[in-house]
DNA sequence: AATATGACCAACCGCACAGCA
DNA sequence: CTGCTGTGCGGTTGGTCATAT
């Protein structure tokens, strides 16, 4: 026996709202407020579920909402907060006046995730892919290293495929990263080339791991160097030239300076353990309350108006914990 | 010109939690 | 303490439009 549905599904209209419905809901709320969502559709003369009315109001009709494109500053805020908070859209949205959690979530899923991937940054951990590879490599005993390419490919296949299939990859760039160009005549990788491309990526990753002598650095094997040099180079080559973000990944990885976007998108592993501890402590107050979950965490005002102001942390030191 | 594919975003769904009787 | 109700939240779906083939 499940939960009682919030409304009679048979008698309610679903799907897109009409201007007439919008008007009915808006004028009713303007007169009576939003006290009981279950009664609002009935009183407003709408054949809608109360929940649907609430959603329509909070996500679209509210007069204080901003409609339109996200500014660079807003995007940067989202990325920075996401690196700390993860998918807590309501908390993130609370820091963006006029934006709803749905707006932020949609914008993240459709735009920001791809932008970060295009820059060679994992949108989940906010670390460069190169650092993640390095972290995996350093946790593996030598006999396990051959499996790294397989594992890495599993992790990043989607991002790589996206880049390979959507962005132009010149033969020069492919050669730079140690791969034979898939097709020198056609710059777009076709669907049937994917498997071959994946195999070549695997080969390139394996070679970069196993044979650092062939890397541009010509340094003895060092996971950090190999990760930064080889994979940063790889990701740099993949970075979309038309993405609107002209940051070389190698500078992201090796220097960690540059624009605010640069810093917030790529906190990297430069964060000190102390800072991470501070962050963790901020997420767990002195009463032992777990800020990482539960209702308090959802309360953006509580979190951001407290003395523990996350904004005070230099953005390059904001690093989300590995999930 | 027709069709396929992808991007975007509004809306829905189910779960969790708070408040109340 | 328990059960019910209302609300908030994050994940997912589906419709529409734009672009590519």
């Amino acid at each position: 026996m499940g939960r009682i549905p919030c409304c009679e599904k048979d008698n309610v209209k679903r799907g897109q709202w009409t201007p007439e419905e919008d008007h009915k809901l808006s004028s009713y709320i303007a007169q009576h407020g939003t006290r009981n969502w279950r009664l609002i559709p009935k009183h407003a003369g709408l054949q809608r579920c109360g929940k649907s009315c609430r959603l329509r109001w909070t996500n679209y009709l509210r007069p204080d909402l901003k409609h339109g494109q996200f500014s660079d500053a807003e995007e940067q805020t989202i990325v920075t907060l996401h690196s700390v908070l993860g998918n807590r859209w309501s908390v993130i949205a609370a820091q963006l006046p006029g934006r709803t959690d749905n707006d932020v979530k949609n914008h993240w899923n459709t735009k920001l995730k791809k932008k970060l991937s295009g820059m060679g940054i994992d949108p989940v951990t906010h670390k460069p892919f190169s650092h993640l590879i390095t972290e995996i490599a350093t946790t593996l005993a030598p006999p396990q290293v051959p499996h790294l390419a397989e594992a890495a490919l599993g992790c990043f296949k989607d991002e790589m495929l996206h880049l390979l299939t959507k962005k132009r990859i010149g033969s020069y760039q492919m050669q730079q990263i140690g791969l034979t160009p898939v097709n020198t005549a056609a710059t777009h990788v076709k669907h049937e080339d994917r498997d071959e491309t994946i195999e070549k990526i695997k080969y390139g990753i394996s070679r970069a791991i196993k044979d650092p002598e062939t890397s541009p650095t010509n340094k003895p094997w060092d996971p950090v160097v190999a990760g930064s040099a080889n994979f940063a180079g790889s990701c740099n080559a993949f970075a979309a030239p038309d993405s609107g973000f002209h940051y070389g990944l190698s500078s992201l990885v090796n220097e960690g300076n540059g624009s605010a976007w640069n810093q917030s998108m790529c906190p990297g592993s430069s964060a000190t353990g102390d800072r991470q501890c501070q962050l963790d402590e901020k997420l767990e107050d002195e009463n032992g309350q777990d800020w990482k979950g539960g209702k308090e965490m959802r309360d953006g005002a509580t979190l951001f108006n407290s003395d523990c102001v996350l904004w005070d942390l230099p953005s390059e030191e904001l690093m989300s914990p590995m999930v």
Side-chain angles (χ1 to χ4, degrees):
Chain A
M1 185 173 154
R3 184 188 164 90
I4 300 166
C6 66
C7 51
E8 300 285 337
K9 303 258 181 201
D10 295 340
N11 297 330
V12 298
K13 191 180 165 210
R14 297 172 62 190
Q16 294 284 326
W17 281 66
T18 64
E20 191 184 347
E21 287 176 311
D22 283 346
H23 179 69
K24 278 184 181 175
L25 182 59
S26 296
S27 42
Y28 179 85
I29 289 174
Q31 282 188 318
H32 302 95
T34 59
R35 252 172 302 192
N36 187 329
W37 284 110
R38 187 172 285 215
L39 296 177
I40 284 176
K42 200 185 286 180
H43 293 163
L46 290 162
Q47 285 198 313
R48 291 275 183 176
C49 170
K51 200 171 178 176
S52 176
C53 292
R54 180 174 58 82
L55 217 59
R56 183 64 179 171
W57 172 255
T58 54
N59 286 342
Y60 195 81
L61 295 175
R62 257 169 49 201
D64 58 325
L65 288 183
K66 249 190 234 175
H67 298 285
Q69 299 235 320
F70 280 73
S71 67
D72 282 351
E74 285 177 316
E75 290 189 341
Q76 189 197 318
T77 301
I78 294 169
V79 172
T80 304
L81 291 179
H82 187 271
S83 72
V84 180
L85 299 167
N87 294 357
R88 293 190 167 82
W89 304 119
S90 57
V91 182
I92 295 172
Q95 304 307 310
L96 298 168
R99 301 294 188 184
T100 68
D101 55 348
N102 212 34
D103 278 340
V104 173
K105 181 172 57 183
N106 281 334
H107 193 64
W108 172 264
N109 285 328
T110 57
K111 301 268 185 66
L112 296 181
K113 251 166 90 171
K114 288 170 194 165
K115 275 186 185 175
L116 289 178
S117 292
M119 296 172 69
I121 297 167
D122 176 36
V124 177
T125 62
H126 291 258
K127 294 180 180 182
F129 291 142
S130 58
H131 281 205
L132 295 178
I133 300 272
T134 301
E135 285 183 18
I136 296 168
T138 53
T139 61
L140 292 176
Q144 295 174 294
V145 168
H147 301 300
L148 175 59
E150 207 67 47
L153 191 72
C155 292
F156 308 134
K157 190 173 70 179
D158 287 348
E159 282 74 14
M160 287 176 171
L161 282 177
H162 177 75
L163 293 167
L164 286 167
T165 53
K166 300 299 292 181
K167 310 297 178 188
R168 291 162 186 265
I169 300 174
S171 59
Y172 171 75
Q173 288 174 315
M174 295 295 277
Q175 283 163 2
Q176 285 291 98
I177 60 173
L179 301 178
T180 307
V182 174
N183 186 344
T184 52
T187 52
H188 278 97
V189 180
K190 292 182 178 173
H191 194 76
E192 55 266 30
D193 292 329
R194 285 183 179 186
D195 288 344
E196 187 189 354
T197 304
I198 289 170
E199 288 308 311
K200 287 176 179 173
I201 292 169
K202 283 159 93 172
Y203 172 72
I205 293 172
S206 303
R207 213 181 68 177
I209 294 164
K210 291 180 189 169
D211 188 13
E213 291 303 316
T214 62
S215 77
T217 61
N218 265 340
K219 290 179 183 171
W221 169 248
D222 172 346
V224 175
V225 171
S228 301
N230 297 347
F231 290 106
S234 303
C235 295
N236 208 14
F238 283 129
D242 57 347
S243 66
F245 300 102
H246 305 290
Y247 309 115
L249 185 62
S250 53
S251 69
L252 284 173
V253 172
N254 296 329
E255 294 154 30
N257 55 12
S259 73
W261 251 102
N262 186 332
Q263 292 176 0
S264 62
M265 283 194 221
C266 183
S269 49
S270 62
T272 64
D274 287 346
R275 263 309 186 200
Q276 188 59 43
C277 287
Q278 285 178 21
L279 264 181
D280 288 341
E281 283 165 14
K282 286 174 191 301
L283 292 171
E284 190 170 329
D285 70 14
E286 59 274 19
N287 297 324
Q289 175 114 38
D290 185 7
W291 284 87
K292 294 166 199 168
K295 194 67 180 174
E296 281 71 358
M297 191 60 203
R298 291 177 171 183
D299 185 351
T302 309
L303 176 61
F304 289 98
N305 292 336
S306 71
D307 291 338
C308 299
V309 183
L310 293 172
W311 307 114
D312 288 341
L313 293 172
S315 54
E316 70 270 23
E317 294 187 14
L318 292 175
M319 182 181 75
S320 64
M322 288 287 285
V323 183

